[in-house]
């Protein structure tokens, strides 16, 4: 419903609201925002990203990069040098995604220790079976 007028949204607005799941899938993906974050200073090669993102496998980085390229978040450039190499860079839309999600990533870093403490306290109260 349109909150201002108390009327149902036109079909297109409702459909668009449901389709926002596509964007939320990007934001909620385990690796996508980390890739976007590491591209903030400009183009990076695959190996640079792999080294910078702790815990990501080569396969998962490949899948993530392809998905972000498909969504228009980054571009992939093959450089015709010997040996050939590939670099990845944020698109204009990718830059706006990075700007929009930077506060979330900063919040995450600022609160990691408190989250770890809360989890440990919860696990101590409830036992190991409740943590799953």
């Amino acid at each position: 419903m349109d909150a201002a007028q108390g009327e149902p949204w036109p079909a297109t607005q409702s459909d668009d609201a449901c389709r926002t799941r596509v964007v939320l899938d990007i934001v909620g993906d385990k690796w996508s925002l980390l890739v976007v974050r590491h591209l903030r200073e400009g183009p990076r090669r695959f190996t640079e990203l792999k080294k910078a993102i702790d815990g990501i496998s080569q396969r998962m980085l490949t899948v993530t990069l392809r998905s972000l390229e498909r969504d228009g978040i980054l571009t992939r450039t093959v450089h015709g040098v010997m040996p050939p190499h590939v670099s990845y860079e944020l698109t204009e839309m990718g830059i706006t995604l990075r700007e929009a999600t930077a506060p979330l990533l900063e919040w995450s870093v600022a609160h990691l220790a408190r989250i770890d403490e809360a989890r440990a306290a919860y696990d101590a109260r409830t036992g190991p079976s409740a943590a799953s």
Side-chain angles (χ1 to χ4, degrees):
M1 288 207 139
D2 182 344
Q5 300 174 2
E7 299 173 10
W9 280 352
T12 56
Q13 282 184 327
S14 179
D15 293 344
D16 287 348
C18 290
R19 291 197 65 235
T20 60
R21 289 188 316 260
V22 173
V23 176
L24 296 175
D25 286 344
I26 297 169
V27 175
D29 177 82
K30 184 175 181 176
W31 301 110
S32 292
L33 289 185
L34 293 174
V35 169
V36 169
R37 180 174 183 254
H38 285 286
L39 290 173
R40 72 185 178 275
E41 294 173 9
R44 295 286 180 262
R45 293 176 68 172
F46 184 94
T47 54
E48 293 174 307
L49 290 168
K50 175 83 172 72
K51 288 178 187 174
I53 302 171
D54 187 40
I56 194 167
S57 69
Q58 183 168 332
R59 180 187 177 287
M60 198 68 240
L61 180 56
T62 299
V63 168
T64 301
L65 290 168
R66 285 181 184 163
S67 176
L68 291 171
E69 182 181 11
R70 181 174 183 257
D71 291 339
I73 305 300
L74 59 80
T75 59
R76 177 182 185 267
T77 304
V78 179
H79 300 275
V81 296
M82 283 310 243
H85 73 270
V86 176
S87 65
Y88 299 89
E89 183 173 17
L90 293 176
T91 62
E92 186 176 318
M93 187 168 52
I95 291 168
T96 62
L97 175 62
R98 185 192 55 78
E99 291 167 351
T101 58
L104 175 61
L105 291 168
E106 290 170 13
W107 181 91
S108 300
V109 170
H111 292 88
L112 279 174
R114 291 178 64 190
I115 291 168
D116 289 342
E117 291 169 7
R119 287 178 176 177
Y122 177 87
D123 292 348
R125 279 193 322 269
T126 60
S129 63
S132 329

